[in-house]
Amino acid sequence: AADSALRAQIEGTGEYSIAAAAAARKSTRTQLDMLPPVQGVITQRFDPKNEAFGVRLRVEASATVSAVKDGTIVAGYWSPDDGYVITIQHSDNLLSTYKRNTTLQKSVGARVRAGEVIATAGEGETETNETDKSSEVELELWYKGTPIDPEGYIVF
């Protein structure tokens, strides 16, 4: 009798059913699906102990930078250390910040879709002041105010 009750609970539609567990896993996976912001090679990995709160990617000059997930632009500014910076608020208390851009394509308040262009990387300069045909873009992900490793959620 106890075995039959347990079997009915697992095979049914209740809280402990196999179907509910599979749906919850799929829902969580869907929430975490993110697109790479740009094609490039990782040159600096996530290392919060050394104040590296994201990943840095070597990219082609003038590469377009895209949103990793749907959201709303909440900040866009220029900084002497980070170039043009743009931040997107996503659902579930997730923020994505894109640094070291040369132009921003969206302004604060704009809604963006995953994969939509939000910024442009630029050409760098070498130590001898020659134009370098590559650039670096930095991506940070913040969940509830804590930095998280983008490599855990995005395949670069």
Side-chain angles (χ1 to χ4, degrees), residues 85-104:
V85 178
I86 192 165
T87 300
I88 302 174
Q89 174 73 57
H90 307 282
S91 60
D92 301 326
N93 294 308
L94 179 71
L95 286 172
S96 59
T97 299
Y98 311 77
K99 297 180 175 180
R100 303 178 174 271
N101 301 293
T102 57
T103 63
L104 299 181

Side-chain angles (χ1 to χ4, degrees), residues 37 64-68 71-79 82-90 95-112 116-121 137-142:
T64 57
V65 179
S66 303
V68 296
T72 302
I73 308 292
V74 294
Y77 58 90
W78 183 84
S79 156
D82 296 320
Y84 282 98
V85 178
I86 192 165
T87 300
I88 302 174
Q89 174 73 57
H90 307 282
L95 286 172
S96 59
T97 299
Y98 311 77
K99 297 180 175 180
R100 303 178 174 271
N101 301 293
T102 57
T103 63
L104 299 181
Q105 305 297 323
K106 300 290 180 179
S107 54
V108 173
R111 294 269 311 142
V112 294
E116 189 173 340
V117 174
I118 57 171
T120 306
V137 172
E138 191 170 333
L139 169 68
E140 295 178 357
L141 295 177
W142 294 78

Side-chain angles (χ1 to χ4, degrees), residues 22 26 40 43 49 58 81 102 125 154:
K26 183 176 181 183
T43 59
K49 291 179 185 171
R58 169 87 43 200
D81 292 331
T102 57
E125 278 190 5
I154 301 171

